[in-house]
Amino acid sequence: MTHIEQSADVSPLATIGNESSIWHLAQVREGAVLGKNCNIGRGAYIGPDVVLGDNCKVQNYALVYEPASLADGVFIGPAAVLTNDLFPRAINPDGTRKGNDDWEAVAVTIGQGASIGARAVCIAPLHIGAWAMVAAGAVVNRDVPAHALVVGVPARQIGWVGTAGHRLQFTDGAWQCPATGERYDQLGSEFSVPV
């Protein structure tokens, strides 16, 4: 059953999937689509027409601005921000206030199972690959490959992670997860799990 706290502000034009929860003071704007079993934390913001897949978790006070798109199982940590403006200004060069027609929103897209750490900032436009992990406090200003582990300001890759989120270790000619034993083959920046 879907749960929406009374203090949450959810547009009647948003689509909320079954078994999803929206907690205190969160805002979900018009046209937003949340898949089933999503969890939107206290004070989080989901912008107009943002799309979340199934089983996404957006932690307290995270800001997901339109037109972001999150695949299934994406984790957004507390106070993380997904931006949408290449040239942010409150006013036009002539001093008039900027309106919706005065700029073009650009997207952050995130692949299946990827995680964005607490207070990380993802500067659109960019794509974060499936199962990638962005460390807490990182500032991401370029695309992140699938399974990559990125840290710092600006974010840089320091390793690879598996589907369980643990850093992979290179052993016997392949990458291996120390938690699950899953082995990964690497072809360039692409990973595959051997069958």
Side-chain angles (χ1 to χ4, degrees):
M1 183 165 107
T2 300
H3 174 82
I4 300 174
E5 278 293 326
Q6 188 173 356
S7 65
D9 179 5
V10 179
S11 169
L13 301 177
T15 302
I16 310 300
N18 291 336
E19 305 289 323
S20 289
S21 297
I22 302 172
W23 296 100
H24 308 274
L25 304 174
Q27 184 177 20
V28 180
R29 297 282 304 274
E30 63 280 359
V33 177
L34 278 61
K36 64 183 178 191
N37 200 32
C38 289
N39 189 359
I40 308 301
R42 177 186 179 91
Y45 175 81
I46 308 296
D49 302 317
V50 165
V51 176
L52 276 66
D54 297 339
N55 302 307
C56 289
K57 186 171 189 177
V58 179
Q59 293 282 65
N60 297 355
Y61 302 105
L63 306 175
V64 181
Y65 290 105
E66 69 282 358
S69 178
L70 285 59
D72 293 347
V74 169
F75 174 89
I76 305 293
V81 180
L82 277 57
T83 72
N84 68 353
D85 196 344
L86 277 175
F87 308 104
R89 290 282 193 240
I91 60 173
N92 293 306
D94 65 2
T96 59
R97 185 180 66 136
K98 268 191 162 186
N100 287 339
D101 295 334
D102 295 319
W103 66 289
E104 183 179 335
V106 290
V108 172
T109 61
I110 304 178
Q112 179 184 7
S115 294
I116 310 301
R119 292 196 180 272
V121 178
C122 298
I123 301 172
L126 63 84
H127 175 75
I128 296 170
W131 305 107
M133 184 172 290
V134 173
V139 176
V140 184
N141 62 0
R142 62 180 164 238
D143 290 351
V144 175
H147 292 278
L149 170 61
V150 299
V151 303
V153 179
R156 68 194 185 289
Q157 185 175 351
I158 63 164
W160 302 102
V161 292
T163 57
H166 292 262
R167 192 168 180 174
L168 299 179
Q169 300 167 349
F170 193 75
T171 178
D172 297 328
W175 292 94
Q176 185 170 2
C177 176
T180 66
E182 260 185 343
R183 293 175 61 83
Y184 296 79
D185 287 329
Q186 182 182 357
L187 300 169
S189 65
E190 299 295 318
F191 271 83
S192 65
V193 182
V195 246

Coordinates of all heavy atoms in Angstrom, one line a residue, residues 125-173:
P125 N 24.7 18.5 -17.8 CA 24.2 17.2 -18.2 C 25.2 16.1 -18.0 O 26.4 16.3 -18.3 CB 23.9 17.4 -19.7 CG 24.9 18.4 -20.2 CD 25.1 19.3 -19.0
L126 N 24.8 15.0 -17.5 CA 25.7 13.9 -17.3 C 24.9 12.6 -17.1 O 23.8 12.6 -16.8 CB 26.8 14.1 -16.2 CG 26.3 14.2 -14.8 CD1 26.1 12.9 -14.1 CD2 27.4 15.0 -14.0
H127 N 25.6 11.5 -17.3 CA 25.1 10.1 -17.1 C 26.0 9.4 -16.2 O 27.2 9.3 -16.3 CB 25.0 9.4 -18.5 CG 24.5 8.0 -18.3 ND1 23.2 7.7 -18.0 CD2 25.2 6.8 -18.3 CE1 23.0 6.3 -17.8 NE2 24.2 5.8 -18.0
I128 N 25.3 8.7 -15.2 CA 26.0 7.9 -14.2 C 25.6 6.5 -14.5 O 24.4 6.1 -14.5 CB 25.7 8.3 -12.8 CG1 26.3 9.7 -12.6 CG2 26.3 7.3 -11.8 CD1 25.8 10.4 -11.3
G129 N 26.6 5.6 -14.9 CA 26.3 4.3 -15.3 C 25.7 3.3 -14.2 O 25.8 3.6 -13.0
A130 N 25.2 2.2 -14.7 CA 24.6 1.2 -13.8 C 25.6 0.8 -12.7 O 26.8 0.6 -13.0 CB 24.1 0.0 -14.6
W131 N 25.1 0.6 -11.5 CA 25.9 0.1 -10.4 C 27.1 1.0 -10.0 O 27.9 0.5 -9.2 CB 26.3 -1.3 -10.6 CG 25.1 -2.2 -10.9 CD1 24.8 -2.8 -12.2 CD2 24.1 -2.6 -10.0 NE1 23.7 -3.5 -12.1 CE2 23.2 -3.4 -10.8 CE3 23.9 -2.4 -8.7 CZ2 22.1 -4.0 -10.2 CZ3 22.7 -3.0 -8.1 CH2 21.9 -3.8 -8.9
A132 N 27.2 2.1 -10.6 CA 28.3 3.0 -10.2 C 28.1 3.5 -8.8 O 27.0 3.5 -8.3 CB 28.4 4.2 -11.2
M133 N 29.2 4.1 -8.1 CA 29.0 4.6 -6.8 C 29.8 6.0 -6.8 O 31.0 6.0 -7.1 CB 29.6 3.7 -5.7 CG 29.4 4.2 -4.3 SD 29.8 3.0 -3.1 CE 28.5 1.9 -3.2
V134 N 29.0 7.0 -6.4 CA 29.6 8.3 -6.2 C 29.7 8.6 -4.7 O 28.8 8.4 -3.9 CB 28.6 9.4 -6.8 CG1 29.1 10.8 -6.5 CG2 28.5 9.2 -8.3
A135 N 31.0 8.9 -4.2 CA 31.2 9.0 -2.8 C 30.5 10.2 -2.2 O 30.2 11.2 -3.0 CB 32.7 9.1 -2.6
A136 N 30.3 10.2 -0.9 CA 29.8 11.3 -0.2 C 30.6 12.6 -0.5 O 31.8 12.5 -0.5 CB 29.7 11.1 1.3
G137 N 29.9 13.7 -0.7 CA 30.6 15.0 -0.9 C 31.3 15.2 -2.3 O 31.8 16.3 -2.5
A138 N 31.2 14.2 -3.2 CA 31.8 14.4 -4.5 C 31.1 15.4 -5.3 O 29.9 15.6 -5.1 CB 31.9 13.0 -5.2
V139 N 31.8 16.0 -6.3 CA 31.2 16.9 -7.3 C 31.4 16.3 -8.6 O 32.6 16.2 -9.1 CB 31.7 18.3 -7.2 CG1 31.1 19.2 -8.3 CG2 31.4 18.9 -5.8
V140 N 30.4 15.7 -9.2 CA 30.5 15.0 -10.5 C 30.2 16.0 -11.6 O 29.1 16.5 -11.7 CB 29.5 13.8 -10.5 CG1 29.8 13.0 -11.8 CG2 29.7 12.9 -9.3
N141 N 31.1 16.2 -12.5 CA 30.9 17.1 -13.7 C 31.2 16.4 -15.0 O 31.3 17.1 -16.0 CB 31.8 18.3 -13.5 CG 33.3 18.0 -13.5 OD1 33.7 16.9 -13.6 ND2 34.1 19.1 -13.4
R142 N 31.3 15.1 -15.0 CA 31.4 14.4 -16.3 C 30.8 13.0 -16.1 O 30.7 12.5 -15.0 CB 32.8 14.3 -16.8 CG 33.8 13.6 -15.9 CD 35.2 13.6 -16.4 NE 36.1 13.3 -15.3 CZ 37.1 14.0 -14.9 NH1 37.4 15.1 -15.5 NH2 37.9 13.6 -13.9
D143 N 30.5 12.3 -17.2 CA 29.9 11.0 -17.2 C 30.8 10.0 -16.3 O 32.0 10.1 -16.3 CB 29.7 10.4 -18.6 CG 28.7 11.1 -19.4 OD1 28.0 12.0 -18.8 OD2 28.6 10.9 -20.6
V144 N 30.0 9.1 -15.7 CA 30.7 8.0 -14.8 C 30.3 6.7 -15.5 O 29.2 6.4 -15.7 CB 30.1 8.1 -13.4 CG1 30.7 7.0 -12.5 CG2 30.5 9.5 -12.8
P145 N 31.3 5.8 -15.8 CA 31.1 4.5 -16.3 C 30.3 3.6 -15.4 O 30.4 3.8 -14.1 CB 32.5 4.0 -16.6 CG 33.4 5.1 -16.5 CD 32.8 6.1 -15.6
A146 N 29.7 2.6 -15.9 CA 29.0 1.6 -15.1 C 30.1 1.0 -14.2 O 31.2 0.7 -14.5 CB 28.4 0.5 -16.0
H147 N 29.7 0.7 -12.9 CA 30.5 0.1 -11.9 C 31.7 0.9 -11.4 O 32.5 0.4 -10.6 CB 31.0 -1.3 -12.4 CG 30.0 -2.3 -12.5 ND1 29.5 -3.1 -11.5 CD2 29.3 -2.7 -13.6 CE1 28.5 -3.9 -11.9 NE2 28.4 -3.7 -13.2
A148 N 31.8 2.1 -11.8 CA 32.9 3.0 -11.4 C 32.7 3.5 -10.0 O 31.6 3.8 -9.6 CB 33.1 4.1 -12.4
L149 N 33.8 3.7 -9.2 CA 33.8 4.3 -7.9 C 34.5 5.7 -8.1 O 35.7 5.7 -8.5 CB 34.5 3.5 -6.9 CG 34.8 4.1 -5.6 CD1 33.5 4.5 -4.8 CD2 35.6 3.1 -4.7
V150 N 33.7 6.8 -7.9 CA 34.3 8.1 -8.0 C 34.3 8.9 -6.7 O 33.3 8.7 -5.9 CB 33.6 8.9 -9.2 CG1 33.8 8.2 -10.5 CG2 32.2 9.1 -8.9
V151 N 35.3 9.7 -6.5 CA 35.4 10.5 -5.2 C 36.0 11.8 -5.6 O 36.6 12.0 -6.6 CB 36.3 9.8 -4.2 CG1 35.9 8.4 -3.9 CG2 37.8 9.7 -4.7
G152 N 35.8 12.8 -4.7 CA 36.5 14.1 -4.7 C 35.8 15.2 -5.5 O 34.7 15.1 -6.0
V153 N 36.6 16.3 -5.5 CA 36.1 17.5 -6.1 C 37.2 18.1 -7.1 O 38.2 18.5 -6.6 CB 35.8 18.6 -5.1 CG1 35.3 19.9 -5.7 CG2 34.7 18.1 -4.1
P154 N 37.0 18.0 -8.4 CA 35.9 17.3 -9.1 C 36.1 15.8 -8.9 O 37.2 15.3 -8.6 CB 36.1 17.7 -10.5 CG 37.5 18.0 -10.7 CD 38.0 18.6 -9.3
A155 N 35.0 15.0 -9.1 CA 35.1 13.6 -9.0 C 36.1 12.9 -9.9 O 36.1 13.3 -11.1 CB 33.7 13.0 -9.1
R156 N 36.8 11.9 -9.4 CA 37.7 11.1 -10.3 C 37.5 9.7 -9.9 O 37.2 9.4 -8.7 CB 39.1 11.6 -10.1 CG 39.7 11.3 -8.7 CD 41.0 12.0 -8.4 NE 41.5 11.6 -7.2 CZ 41.0 11.9 -6.0 NH1 39.9 12.6 -5.9 NH2 41.6 11.5 -4.9
Q157 N 37.8 8.8 -10.8 CA 37.6 7.4 -10.6 C 38.8 6.8 -9.8 O 39.9 7.1 -10.2 CB 37.4 6.6 -11.9 CG 37.1 5.2 -11.7 CD 36.8 4.4 -12.9 OE1 36.6 5.0 -14.0 NE2 36.7 3.1 -12.8
I158 N 38.5 6.0 -8.8 CA 39.6 5.4 -8.0 C 39.4 3.9 -8.0 O 40.3 3.2 -7.4 CB 39.6 5.9 -6.6 CG1 38.4 5.6 -5.8 CG2 40.0 7.4 -6.6 CD1 38.5 5.8 -4.3
G159 N 38.4 3.3 -8.6 CA 38.3 1.9 -8.6 C 36.9 1.5 -9.2 O 36.3 2.3 -9.9
W160 N 36.6 0.2 -8.9 CA 35.3 -0.4 -9.5 C 34.6 -1.0 -8.3 O 35.2 -1.4 -7.3 CB 35.7 -1.4 -10.5 CG 36.5 -1.0 -11.7 CD1 37.8 -1.2 -11.8 CD2 36.0 -0.3 -12.8 NE1 38.2 -0.6 -13.0 CE2 37.1 0.0 -13.6 CE3 34.8 0.2 -13.2 CZ2 37.0 0.6 -14.9 CZ3 34.7 0.9 -14.4 CH2 35.8 1.1 -15.2
V161 N 33.2 -1.0 -8.4 CA 32.4 -1.7 -7.4 C 31.5 -2.7 -8.1 O 31.1 -2.5 -9.3 CB 31.5 -0.6 -6.6 CG1 32.4 0.2 -5.8 CG2 30.7 0.2 -7.6
G162 N 31.1 -3.7 -7.3 CA 30.1 -4.7 -7.8 C 28.7 -4.3 -7.5 O 28.4 -3.3 -6.9
T163 N 27.8 -5.2 -7.8 CA 26.4 -4.9 -7.6 C 26.1 -4.8 -6.1 O 25.1 -4.2 -5.7 CB 25.5 -6.0 -8.2 OG1 25.9 -7.3 -7.7 CG2 25.6 -5.9 -9.7
A164 N 26.9 -5.4 -5.2 CA 26.7 -5.4 -3.8 C 27.2 -4.1 -3.2 O 27.0 -3.8 -2.0 CB 27.3 -6.6 -3.1
G165 N 27.9 -3.3 -4.0 CA 28.5 -2.0 -3.5 C 29.9 -2.1 -3.0 O 30.4 -1.0 -2.6
H166 N 30.5 -3.2 -2.9 CA 31.8 -3.4 -2.4 C 32.8 -3.1 -3.5 O 32.6 -3.4 -4.7 CB 32.0 -4.8 -1.8 CG 31.2 -5.0 -0.6 ND1 31.7 -4.9 0.7 CD2 29.9 -5.4 -0.4 CE1 30.8 -5.2 1.6 NE2 29.7 -5.5 0.9
R167 N 34.0 -2.6 -3.1 CA 35.0 -2.3 -4.1 C 35.6 -3.6 -4.6 O 35.9 -4.5 -3.8 CB 36.1 -1.5 -3.4 CG 37.1 -0.9 -4.4 CD 38.0 0.1 -3.7 NE 39.0 0.6 -4.7 CZ 39.8 1.6 -4.4 NH1 39.8 2.2 -3.2 NH2 40.6 2.1 -5.3
L168 N 35.7 -3.7 -5.9 CA 36.2 -5.0 -6.5 C 37.7 -5.1 -6.4 O 38.4 -4.1 -6.4 CB 35.8 -5.0 -8.0 CG 34.3 -5.0 -8.3 CD1 34.1 -5.0 -9.8 CD2 33.6 -6.1 -7.7
Q169 N 38.2 -6.3 -6.3 CA 39.6 -6.6 -6.2 C 40.0 -7.4 -7.5 O 39.2 -8.3 -7.9 CB 39.9 -7.4 -5.0 CG 39.5 -6.7 -3.7 CD 39.5 -7.6 -2.5 OE1 39.6 -8.8 -2.6 NE2 39.4 -7.0 -1.3
F170 N 41.1 -7.1 -8.0 CA 41.6 -7.8 -9.2 C 42.4 -9.0 -8.8 O 43.4 -8.9 -8.1 CB 42.5 -6.9 -10.1 CG 42.7 -7.5 -11.5 CD1 41.7 -7.4 -12.4 CD2 43.9 -8.0 -11.8 CE1 41.9 -7.9 -13.7 CE2 44.1 -8.6 -13.1 CZ 43.1 -8.5 -14.0
T171 N 41.9 -10.2 -9.2 CA 42.5 -11.4 -8.8 C 42.3 -12.5 -9.9 O 41.2 -12.6 -10.4 CB 42.0 -11.9 -7.4 OG1 42.6 -13.2 -7.1 CG2 40.5 -12.1 -7.4
D172 N 43.4 -13.2 -10.2 CA 43.3 -14.3 -11.2 C 42.7 -13.9 -12.5 O 41.9 -14.5 -13.1 CB 42.5 -15.5 -10.6 CG 43.1 -16.1 -9.4 OD1 44.4 -16.1 -9.4 OD2 42.4 -16.6 -8.6
G173 N 43.1 -12.7 -13.0 CA 42.7 -12.2 -14.3 C 41.3 -11.6 -14.4 O 40.9 -11.4 -15.5

